[in-house]
Amino acid sequence: MRLIEARRIMMSEGAPISNAAYAVGYESVPQFTREYGRLFGKSPARDVRQSFGKVHVAA
């Protein structure tokens, strides 16, 4: 349940990964990242990137 809530926070509120991890009770971002990957099959960063697409900045 914590991981699902963290995903919702990242996707709907645009929260950084660490903020979402701490908000749902994780004390370690690496532990959060490992468990997230096991559940969703990709890292939180990759999941967010794929959901929102990459932001391109014109140089």
Side-chain angles (χ1 to χ4, degrees):
M1 295 300 286
R2 291 192 303 169
L3 292 168
I4 293 168
E5 177 62 9
R7 187 174 192 271
R8 185 198 66 76
I9 291 168
M10 290 185 302
M11 300 298 178
S12 67
E13 299 175 18
I17 295 164
S18 59
N19 289 10
Y22 296 133
V24 297
Y26 281 87
E27 295 180 13
S28 166
V29 175
Q31 181 64 34
F32 169 77
T33 300
R34 279 191 298 276
E35 292 182 16
Y36 191 100
R38 285 188 201 120
L39 180 64
F40 295 110
K42 53 188 140 187
S43 72
R46 183 173 176 202
D47 197 14
V48 169
R49 222 177 13 254
Q50 288 179 339
S51 293
F52 290 110
K54 291 184 180 180
V55 176
H56 295 283
V57 177

